[in-house]
Each structure stands twice: as structure tokens, then as C-alpha cells.
């Protein structure tokens, strides 16, 4: 894993002063014109393009992220998200005409898209560029002032982004504040108009409690155990490759990574064999030597994951190296549904495989647990695909794929129940930070006294007819 000299964290600004400055900017109307929004988005793209290699190095130092993954899932992800927003923003901003009933004629009714004000974005460490900047892009596109708080668990990336944001963005409207629990707690004490949090559910509750004090709406992008169902009619080699890719990308530290697999029991062994082949095809016979395989972010997570290895028998992988925080791509079999690996989100490269009798059993297994962030079904049968999608609930889902729904800007991305609330990406990001303001405009040419007192039986008859 690459090492970088840790950058000196930037001094934490006076947080109440910062929020006050941003609020003054927002109130001045500076962020309202589309030109300001497009210019800031353009600055983020320029910043990412001009500092791509510095960010890729920081991601390698924090997570051992392979350069191609650093580009496709962090830096390049945000660049293409901005491309999409820039193409559509003018259309999204157009007031939407809605039906105006007879009772309000002559007049017209429109939904305006107002920015909400000053927003806070709190990001985690696993895709530290994407998960900080992508919500910030939505907030800026919607015309808000925004403070971003990157994760202290990915300190090099956090430091680079804080420095670059100060250099490239309009500092009176957009800021990135580095820090950990103390700084986040200070930020959460302030009044924001929206808080967007990505991370675990425990801190999600802390965020929601702080937001409640100011009646601030929240978006919570949380995690959970995202299941994969492999039906007896699945195309096994494709399923194995797509599951392995989705699971072992970023060493399993992906919120929508396949957490565990429920497989038709007659396919358990063939699937394990096919996953074994995919792992060798991807990373060679010794994944520790592969430049395309990431590392665990810190010692705490490394120890936690090592502890989960005892939940079953490792039929693939199983080896670890604490000095590099390396955990091999691992498949666990003979896993008890009540074992630690099946209790909480794994968030690492360990994949339990559990045999089931049929799809109904798999559906029941999923539905007995918390609603997950993602769900994946592999089957060539349309009836089974539909049955699984119709009879389960999850934040998002893929049929015969893993993770890729995240790359479709037209699909809202978010959780449901314990995996989160609210959604973003593409238009959903714009909507997330927008107040849909209903505006009725009446003509003054006519002002019939029909709704005004004194009420008469004629007025009542008329109103009963038109309302
Ligand atoms: P983390 O430890 O980086 O925490 C996230 C943020 O919360 C950080 O900015 C951190 O500073 C802040 N924080 C931590 N403790 C706090 C406290 N007590 N008070 C206030 N703020 C606090 O990241 P994490 O929680 O380990 O992230 C992993 C989790 O996030 C997983 O569950 C994963 O599934 C989920 N996740 C979800 C998504 C999604 O899009 N839904 C994406 C990535 C990760």
C-alpha cells in the first residue's frame, strides 16, 4: 500500500461564524442565479481534473485503492455526475405548470424549485471523494450554500479535498470543514436547512436527534446487509463474476456490496467454484500481490473483520496480513444464520454463502430481516425476477447485476427503513435540496364575489358544483 506524508489538517474555522457567513451569502441571493451554480460545478470539475493524480494518490494511501477504481468510483464518478447535472439543470429549474381548478380561475398554478438555504453534508470514508462531492453537487445545483464534512477515517483524502475546496470554490457559499466527532458535533449544533448524512445508523440517529432540535429535514444514506439471491435458473459464470466484482471492489467496503448470498442448494458448490475462478481471474492466485485489490481502511475494521472469519468455513481465501491490513477475498460456507457474520453489515471482503431450498425460502429470509440498501437477484426466469422484486423491499435493486444501479443517474439512490431515508443522484439530488413551492397567480381582471360573505344559497349551490 502506498504511503503519503500525512498533510497537516487545515485549521478548523470558527463554525458559528462560518455558518453565519454562508447564511448571509444565501440571504443575499448570490447562489440563486443559474450562472453561479454552473460556475461552481465547473470549478469542481476543473479541481478534479487538475488534481486527479493527487486525489488518486490520497485514495491509495487511505484505502490502497487501485488507480482505476479511484477514478471510476470517486473522481470520475463526480465528473460525470456534474456533466449530467449541467445538461439538465435549466430544465429542472423551469416552474412546472399544474392544473388550476375552476374555483381559482382566472389564474395559473406552478411549482417553483426553491433552494432550501444552508445545508450540511457529512461524508464517510469508503468513497471519500464521491460521497462528499456528489451530494454537494446536488446542493449547489439546487442553489444552496453548503458545508461539507469529509471523514477523518480517510485523512489524506479529507485533507486534500479541504485544501482544494478552499482554493477552487466560492468560499462565502461553499466550504469543506475537516474534522472528527468534535467538529461534527459543533456543526450539528448549528441550524441548517437540510442535513445530508452518509454513514452508519448509530451516527444517523445522532444526526437526526440534532436535526430535530431545529426541525431540520434530513437525508440519511445508511447501510445494511444487502442480499444476493441466486436462483436455480441463474447463469452461474456471469453471476459469479458480477457477485465477485461487486463484493471485492474496494475490498468489500461498499455500502451496496453484496453482503451475503442465498443460493439454490444444488448450485452452492458450482457457484463457489465459479467465484473461486472469478477471484483468480481478477486478482491472480495471490490477491495480496495484485495492484487491483484494496486494503482495509484501519486497524479497528481489520480486527472486526478478522473476528467474522470464525462464522464459517473459508472455502476461498481466509488469509490475512495485519501489517498491510490485507484480508483476502473470502467465501464462507457452513455459516449459521445466527452467527456474527450474519448479524451486522460485513463491510469487508468476506462473503457468506447460505443454501436455500427455493426462491420462496430466500424471500422469507430477506423479509425476516431489516430492509436492506440493495438487493440482487440472479435468474434467467422473468417470473422469478419479478417475484423477488415484487415480494421484497430494499433501497434499490439489480436484476442479474450488482452495484450498477448506482451508475444510472435517472435512478434515485437511497435506503428504506433502517437502510436510510431520502434519495439522491441526478434529478433526485436536485430534488433532495429543493423546496417545491406551490405558487398560485390570480388575475385581478375579475373578482366575482362568489366566495365572499355574506353567504347565500345561490353561492352555496355554485360552490358545491365547482369544488
Ligand atoms: P465514518 O466513520 O466516516 O462516519 C461517517 C461520518 O460521521 C464521518 O464524517 C464522521 O466524522 C461522522 N461521525 C462519526 N461519529 C460521529 C458522532 N458521534 N457524531 C457526529 N458525527 C460523527 O463512516 P462509517 O459510519 O464507518 O461508514 C460506513 C457505513 O456507512 C456503512 O454502514 C455503510 O454501509 C454506510 N454507507 C452508506 C452509503 C450510502 O450511500 N447509503 C455509502 C457509504 C457508506
Amino acid at each position: 500500500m502506498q504511503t503519503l506524508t500525512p498533510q497537516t489538517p487545515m485549521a478548523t474555522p470558527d463554525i458559528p461564524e462560518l455558518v453565519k457567513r454562508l447564511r448571509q451569502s444565501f440571504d443575499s441571493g448570490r447562489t440563486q442565479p443559474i450562472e453561479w451554480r454552473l460556475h461552481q460545478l465547473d470549478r469542481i470539475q476543473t479541481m478534479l481534473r487538475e488534481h486527479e493524480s493527487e486525489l488518486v494518490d490520497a485514495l491509495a494511501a487511505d484505502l490502497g485503492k487501485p488507480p482505476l477504481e479511484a477514478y471510476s468510483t470517486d473522481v470520475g464518478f463526480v465528473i460525470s455526475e456534474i456533466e449530467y447535472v449541467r445538461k439538465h439543470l435549466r430544465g429542472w429549474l423551469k416552474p412546472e405548470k399544474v392544473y388550476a381548478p375552476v374555483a381559482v380561475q382566472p389564474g395559473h398554478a406552478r411549482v417553483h424549485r426553491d433552494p432550501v438555504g444552508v445545508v450540511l453534508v457529512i461524508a464517510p470514508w469508503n468513497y471519500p471523494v464521491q460521497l462528499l462531492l456528489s451530494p454537494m453537487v446536488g446542493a449547489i445545483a439546487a442553489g444552496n450554500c453548503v458545508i461539507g464534512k469529509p471523514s477523518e477515517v480517510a485523512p489524506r483524502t479529507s485533507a486534500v479535498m479541504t485544501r482544494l475546496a478552499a482554493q477552487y470554490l466560492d468560499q462565502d457559499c461553499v466550504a469543506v470543514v475537516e474534522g472528527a466527532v468534535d467538529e461534527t458535533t459543533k456543526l450539528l449544533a448549528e441550524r441548517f436547512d437540510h442535513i445530508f448524512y452518509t454513514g452508519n445508523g448509530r451516527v444517523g440517529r445522532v444526526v437526526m436527534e440534532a436535526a430535530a432540535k431545529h426541525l431540520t429535514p434530513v437525508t440519511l444514506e445508511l447501510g445494511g446487509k444487502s442480499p444476493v439471491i441466486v436462483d436455480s435458473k441463474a447463469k452461474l459464470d456471469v453471476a459469479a463474476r458480477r457477485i465477485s466484482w461487486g463484493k471485492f471492489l474496494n475490498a468489500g467496503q461498499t455500502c451496496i456490496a453484496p453482503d451475503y448470498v442465498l443460493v439454490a442448494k444444488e448450485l452452492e458448490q458450482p457457484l463457489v467454484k465459479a467465484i473461486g475462478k472469478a477471484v483468480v481471474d481478477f486478482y491472480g492466485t495471490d490477491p495480496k500481490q495484485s495492484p487491483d485489490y484494496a486494503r482495509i481502511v484501519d486497524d479497528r475494521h481489520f480486527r472486526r473483520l478478522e473476528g467474522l472469519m470464525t462464522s464459517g468455513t473459508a472455502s476461498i481465501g481466509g488469509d490475512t496480513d495485519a501489517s498491510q491490513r490485507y484480508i483476502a477475498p473470502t467465501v464462507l460456507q457452513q455459516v449459521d444464520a445466527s452467527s456474527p457474520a450474519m448479524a451486522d453489515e460485513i463491510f469487508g471482503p468476506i462473503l457468506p454463502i447460505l443454501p436455500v431450498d427455493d426462491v420462496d425460502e430466500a424471500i422469507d429470509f430477506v423479509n425476516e430481516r431489516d430492509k436492506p440498501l440493495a438487493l440482487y437477484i440472479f435468474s434467467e426466469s422473468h417470473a422469478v425476477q419479478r417475484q423477488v422484486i415484487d415480494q421484497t423491499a430494499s433501497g434499490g435493486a439489480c436484476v442479474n447485476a450488482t452495484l450498477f444501479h448506482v451508475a444510472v443517474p435517472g435512478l434515485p439512490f437511497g435506503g428504506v427503513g433502517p437502510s436510510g431515508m431520502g434519495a439522491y443522484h441526478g434529478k433526485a439530488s436536485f430534488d433532495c435540496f429543493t423546496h417545491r413551492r406551490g405558487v398560485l397567480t390570480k388575475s385581478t381582471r375579475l373578482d366575482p364575489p362568489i366566495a365572499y360573505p355574506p353567504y347565500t344559497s345561490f353561492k352555496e349551490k355554485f360552490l358545491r358544483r365547482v369544488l
Side-chain angles (χ1 to χ4, degrees), residues 123 125 131 149 151-152 184 198-200 221-223 255 345 413:
W125 49 267
L131 297 174
K149 214 297 289 172
S151 173
E152 70 281 15
T184 319
T198 307
N200 67 73
E221 294 283 340
L222 310 177
C255 57
E345 180 182 359
F413 180 85

Side-chain angles (χ1 to χ4, degrees), residues 122-127 130-131 149-154 179-182 184-185 188 197-203 206-207 220-224 253-256 300-301 345 347 373 413-415 419-420 424-425:
I122 304 172
W125 49 267
N126 57 332
Y127 292 89
Q130 180 201 143
L131 297 174
K149 214 297 289 172
S151 173
E152 70 281 15
V153 184
V181 178
D182 270 4
T184 319
T185 306
L188 286 172
Y197 166 80
T198 307
N200 67 73
R202 183 185 55 78
V203 177
V206 173
V207 169
L220 300 179
E221 294 283 340
L222 310 177
Q253 299 162 113
T254 302
C255 57
I256 46 171
R300 182 174 69 85
H301 282 285
E345 180 182 359
F347 219 54
L373 186 57
F413 180 85
S419 56
Y424 74 132
H425 287 181

Side-chain angles (χ1 to χ4, degrees), residues 269-292:
Q269 284 317 117
L271 179 68
V272 171
K273 201 169 153 213
I275 290 177
K277 177 173 178 330
V279 169
V280 173
D281 288 348
F282 292 174
Y283 307 112
T285 47
D286 182 6
K288 208 200 304 190
Q289 308 304 327
S290 168
D292 299 328

Side-chain angles (χ1 to χ4, degrees), residues 329-361:
T330 296
V331 165
L332 291 185
Q333 291 183 268
Q334 287 95 45
V335 177
D336 193 277
S338 60
S339 67
M342 291 304 295
D344 296 314
E345 180 182 359
I346 292 174
F347 219 54
I350 300 170
L351 184 65
I353 298 204
L354 289 82
V356 288
D357 284 338
D358 52 26
V359 167
D360 291 327
E361 187 186 337

